[in-house]
Amino acid sequence: MKKIALVMAIAAISLSQSAFGWGRVGHDTIACIAERNISPKARKIIEKYLGHSIIYYASWMDDYRNAPGYEHTTMWHGGSVDENMKSTDAVRNPKGDCVAELENAIERLKHYRELDDSTVVVNLKYVIHLVGDMHCPSHVYYPGLKVRKVKLMGRETGYHRVWDRGVIDASHLWSYSEYADQLDRLSRREIKAITTGTPTEWFEENARNCRVIYDWAHDGSDLGRPFVNEASRLVDDQLMKAGYRLAKVLDDLF
Ligand SMILES: [Zn+2]
């Protein structure tokens, strides 16, 4: 009996971990890039509401996804596309997904002056996190594509987790601010090109760019240094885009 309980507890832990978006370093890096690129005015208003920087709450949604009162947010961390890489109503999870809920939160925050403070705060936490999650390669769900267990640098792990934090942990070993130093180097013109578009368009672009991860691995693949080298370029690109796009969303709102 004890053994079954232990196995179930381990399964529950690995399931909950496997569902997290970018690990803390990833989310903090995205928020740090965003913080460095938002206007002083927007930053001041946001910090007045949060009582902290946006980095402080970058992983809040992961920490609270099963907390009482927030169970409805559990499924919000990823999103599906159809075979044409489109995020249509037909493939959207009725329990919510990262794109729809990001758009809902943005819509509510457009009227932030009329909302009570706690509503503004929670919607800000959604925006800060969901822009990150929708750029995480393993948070785009494709019809018929799934890789469960692989080996990364000799250790067995879930493929989802490889993208949440495995690649980051196996590559640079930077703190979030050092990571942001390295990624936040684009010109104004380049940033403008990246931040044009809507969250749905960004998500569909992510789907096209990240589809390749299912060519790189299959169940049981033994992923070593060549994989990490290739994968970290995709991770860096996704973190950088998410950072600039989060700044754009916040700047437009505040
Ligand atoms: Zn998440």
Side-chain angles (χ1 to χ4, degrees), residues 35 38 40-54 57 112-113 115-118 120-121 124 254:
E35 189 181 61
I38 54 178
K41 177 181 161 256
R43 182 173 162 160
K44 204 173 155 194
I45 297 170
I46 292 165
E47 290 197 5
K48 206 174 132 227
Y49 278 104
L50 293 180
H52 290 282
S53 82
I54 56 172
Y57 288 116
Y112 76 89
R113 287 186 185 86
L115 301 173
D116 61 67
D117 288 5
S118 64
V120 176
V121 167
L124 265 171
F254 297 96

Side-chain angles (χ1 to χ4, degrees), residues 16-63:
S16 66
Q17 284 179 343
S18 75
F20 282 0
W22 300 109
R24 284 178 199 283
V25 172
H27 275 294
D28 290 353
T29 300
I30 291 166
C32 185
I33 293 170
E35 189 181 61
R36 292 175 181 186
N37 284 277
I38 54 178
S39 71
K41 177 181 161 256
R43 182 173 162 160
K44 204 173 155 194
I45 297 170
I46 292 165
E47 290 197 5
K48 206 174 132 227
Y49 278 104
L50 293 180
H52 290 282
S53 82
I54 56 172
I55 301 165
Y56 191 91
Y57 288 116
S59 292
W60 182 90
M61 276 193 80
D62 286 336
D63 299 334

Side-chain angles (χ1 to χ4, degrees), residues 28-245:
D28 290 353
T29 300
I30 291 166
C32 185
I33 293 170
E35 189 181 61
R36 292 175 181 186
N37 284 277
I38 54 178
S39 71
K41 177 181 161 256
R43 182 173 162 160
K44 204 173 155 194
I45 297 170
I46 292 165
E47 290 197 5
K48 206 174 132 227
Y49 278 104
L50 293 180
H52 290 282
S53 82
I54 56 172
I55 301 165
Y56 191 91
Y57 288 116
S59 292
W60 182 90
M61 276 193 80
D62 286 336
D63 299 334
Y64 278 76
R65 63 186 299 163
N66 295 314
Y70 295 99
E71 298 91 341
H72 62 287
T73 69
T74 304
M75 303 306 293
W76 292 9
H77 300 250
S80 299
V81 288
D82 64 16
E83 54 285 347
N84 300 314
M85 306 285 174
K86 291 286 176 198
S87 166
T88 59
D89 286 344
V91 295
R92 283 187 170 183
N93 188 333
K95 290 183 175 168
D97 67 53
C98 56
V99 196
E101 299 306 333
L102 171 63
E103 285 174 340
N104 287 341
I106 290 171
E107 211 45 52
R108 287 190 287 267
L109 287 174
K110 281 180 182 169
H111 313 283
Y112 76 89
R113 287 186 185 86
E114 297 142 41
L115 301 173
D116 61 67
D117 288 5
S118 64
T119 306
V120 176
V121 167
V122 78
N123 282 286
L124 265 171
K125 288 170 178 171
Y126 294 159
V127 168
I128 294 163
H129 187 80
L130 293 178
V131 174
D133 270 358
M134 68 181 269
H135 285 77
C136 186
S138 55
H139 283 235
V140 184
Y141 311 132
Y142 304 89
L145 285 178
K146 187 130 191 128
V147 174
R148 292 173 203 279
K149 288 280 171 200
V150 294
K151 264 189 184 172
L152 179 67
M153 304 300 282
R155 293 177 72 174
E156 207 163 279
T157 181
Y159 194 48
H160 189 113
R161 191 171 165 77
V162 164
W163 293 97
D164 282 356
R165 50 172 303 174
V167 174
I168 291 177
D169 288 351
S171 43
H172 304 303
L173 294 178
W174 293 321
S175 68
Y176 75 79
S177 53
E178 290 166 339
Y179 215 148
D181 288 342
Q182 298 307 316
L183 298 185
D184 180 15
R185 307 177 91 87
L186 296 197
S187 67
R188 278 182 184 283
R189 184 195 292 256
E190 288 167 321
I191 294 170
K192 194 159 184 248
I194 281 177
T195 57
T196 302
T198 64
T200 299
E201 286 166 349
W202 298 336
F203 183 65
E204 290 173 348
E205 183 202 296
N206 294 337
R208 293 192 297 275
N209 293 342
C210 299
R211 164 66 183 77
V212 69
I213 74 167
Y214 295 98
D215 297 333
W216 291 348
H218 306 281
D219 276 323
S221 288
D222 194 351
L223 307 170
R225 183 52 60 188
F227 167 83
V228 172
N229 291 345
E230 192 80 28
S232 71
R233 294 219 306 265
L234 178 62
V235 164
D236 290 353
D237 207 43
Q238 292 300 110
L239 292 173
M240 177 200 64
K241 284 178 182 168
Y244 289 126
R245 287 169 176 171

